[in-house]
């Protein structure tokens, strides 16, 4: 069964309706409270007060006609009904009605009167068709019951009590909620306009259109959300551009070796070469280009693996000077081919925490680039030191250098600073990308300073081992 979903517009309208219903319910409960606790409570207090004042007119002796005349006159000028009787039997004759279906006085009430205490009565009287509040007061003369005063008043209905307030309340409430409903309905369009814009904007982005951005000129929550959307789209656009550039570079890098392989393979199959040495040279070129493609694929897989945060690195304490010396010995044969001098100045006490193979790979890639782009019979200097809580590895060459405009892009995939370089010297531009990603995983960084024609200095920073 499909779950029903409501639009935001319907939810706001439903919230308004529920608010109205809860307000009406609250108003009813509040008026009931006023009627029950305030009005009826006040009437009870007034009954007791008037009863005590009336009984105060009696002093001693028989209940005389003088007292009865005063009470008769009090009945005329007061909203209360007052009866003065000589006995409870007479009281029952004067007030033969039942209160809530029971006689006016119960045995418990009679017992209280015998003790000289008053009795408060409240309930519904069928003959009056309404509730009453009354009290019976005993008239005592030296602990003798000389008579009783019964004072009571029929209670007004709640609608009678609030007959002036209820219409005003209903009218004002209706007008208020009608006006509120009209205002909210008229503003819902502008309220949900940014949401509709974001929906249309998201659909365009989902279809690959990154040309527009949301208007974030307002200073509200929707503008904050719009800025987040714009930032997200900027990231998506950059990623899409990098993906296109990446695919374009991969296609470009693979096109040439595949062309070589296809061409030389066709020549060998057509038996164009009659000289065995020429055929062997073609096979060597095919093998060389195959190795280059294999290297490209391996480097791409290596870089993607490093960019995956779930990939695991084997961290352990590393004596940096030993690792640098070992790496320097690995590149020594390449340096001898160009008659380069490798110098080192290493801090023997520097210890870092990292993956030895990965750190060695970083240093190897930087040294390999320094050898490739150094002039024959030049010099490469490798130093290590400590600065604050970081270890510094500095590799300085005196090669062809890097144009200042290209330095910010060094480390991007497939980017080579000198576009005139061949792949034989420049590689694929992935070595420093891999090095930067390894350092990122170690909490380190790579910095390049270079002057075209004078050489390049690469500084690697790695956090020291915390003891």
């Amino acid at each position: 069964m499909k779950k029903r979903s409501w639009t935001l517009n319907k939810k706001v309208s439903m919230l308004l309706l529920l608010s109205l219903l809860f307000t009406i319910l609250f108003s009813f409960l509040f008026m009931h409270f006023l009627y029950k606790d305030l009005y009826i409570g006040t009437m009870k207090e007034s009954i007791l007060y008037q009863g005590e004042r009336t009984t105060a007119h009696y002093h001693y002796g028989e209940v005389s006609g003088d007292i009865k005349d005063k009470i008769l006159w009090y009945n005329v000028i007061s909203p209360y009904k007052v009866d003065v009787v000589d006995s409870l039997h007479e009281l029952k004759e004067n007030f033969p009605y039942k209160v809530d279906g029971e006689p006016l006085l119960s045995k418990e009430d009679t017992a209280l009167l015998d003790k000289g205490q008053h009795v408060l009565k409240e309930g519904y009287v069928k003959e009056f068709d309404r509730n009453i509040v009354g009290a019976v007061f005993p008239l005592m003369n030296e602990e003798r019951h000389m008579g009783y005063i019964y004072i009571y008043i029929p209670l007004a209905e709640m609608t009678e009590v609030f007959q002036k307030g209820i219409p005003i309340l209903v009218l004002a409430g209706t007008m208020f909620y009608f006006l509120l409903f009209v205002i909210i309905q008229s503003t819902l369009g502008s309220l949900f306009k940014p949401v509709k814009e974001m929906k249309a904007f998201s659909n365009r982005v989902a279809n690959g259109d990154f040309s527009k951005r949301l208007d974030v000129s307002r200073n509200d929550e929707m503008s904050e959300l719009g800025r987040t959307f714009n930032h997200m789209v900027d990231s998506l656009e950059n990623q899409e551009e990098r993906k296109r550039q990446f695919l374009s570079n991969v296609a470009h890098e693979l096109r040439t070796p595949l062309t070589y392989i296809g061409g030389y393979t066709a020549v060998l199959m057509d038996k164009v070469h009659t000289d065995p040495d020429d055929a062997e040279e073609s096979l060597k070129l095919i093998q060389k280009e195959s190795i280059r493609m294999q290297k490209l694929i391996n480097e791409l897989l290596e870089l993607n693996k490093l960019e995956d945060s779930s990939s695991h690195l084997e961290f352990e304490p590393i004596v940096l000077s030993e690792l640098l010396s070992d790496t320097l010995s690995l590149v020594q044969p390449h340096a001898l081919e160009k008659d380069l001098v490798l110098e080192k100045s290493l801090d023997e006490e520097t210890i870092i925490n990292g993956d030895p193979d990965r750190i060695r790979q970083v240093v190897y890639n930087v040294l390999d680039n320094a050898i490739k782009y150094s002039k024959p019979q030049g010099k490469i200097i490798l130093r290590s030191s400590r600065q604050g809580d970081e270890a510094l590895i500095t590799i300085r060459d005196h090669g062809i250098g890097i144009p200042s405009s290209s330095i910010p892009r060094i480390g991007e995939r497939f980017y080579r600073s000198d576009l005139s370089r061949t792949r034989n010297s420049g590689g694929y531009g992935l070595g420093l990308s891999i090095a930067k990603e390894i350092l990122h995983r170690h909490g380190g960084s790579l910095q390049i300073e270079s002057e075209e024609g004078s050489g390049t200095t690469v500084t690697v920073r790695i956090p020291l081992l915390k003891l």
Side-chain angles (χ1 to χ4, degrees), residues 241-265:
E241 179 62 28
R242 289 178 61 187
K243 184 176 71 174
R244 285 196 295 266
Q245 186 66 35
F246 174 75
L247 293 175
S248 175
N249 289 333
V250 169
H252 173 74
E253 297 294 343
L254 292 178
R255 184 182 297 114
T256 301
L258 287 174
T259 301
Y260 286 161
I261 292 173
Y264 285 116
T265 302

Side-chain angles (χ1 to χ4, degrees), residues 142-212:
E142 297 179 356
E143 298 183 358
R144 291 179 55 198
H145 287 77
M146 305 306 297
Y148 300 90
I149 292 178
Y150 178 47
I151 180 169
Y152 69 92
I153 184 172
L155 296 174
E157 297 291 340
M158 187 167 66
T159 54
E160 296 174 359
V161 176
F162 298 105
Q163 61 181 352
K164 293 183 179 180
I166 289 179
I168 296 175
L169 181 63
V170 172
L171 180 61
T174 302
M175 292 179 61
F176 171 75
Y177 280 103
F178 176 76
L179 180 62
L180 181 63
F181 181 80
V182 171
I183 293 175
I184 289 181
Q185 287 296 324
S186 62
T187 56
L188 280 179
S190 60
L191 180 64
F192 296 123
K193 182 180 178 181
V195 178
K196 294 179 180 178
E197 291 178 351
M198 289 181 185
K199 180 181 178 181
F201 177 69
S202 299
N203 290 333
R204 288 197 301 269
V205 172
N207 293 325
D209 182 7
F210 302 100
S211 59
K212 296 182 179 180

Side-chain angles (χ1 to χ4, degrees), residues 324 344-346 381-385 392-396:
L324 295 178
K344 64 179 181 179
S345 176
L346 306 179
I381 303 172
L382 173 64
R383 291 191 177 93
S384 68
S385 60
L392 271 62
I393 304 171
T394 305
I395 299 173
R396 166 70 176 167

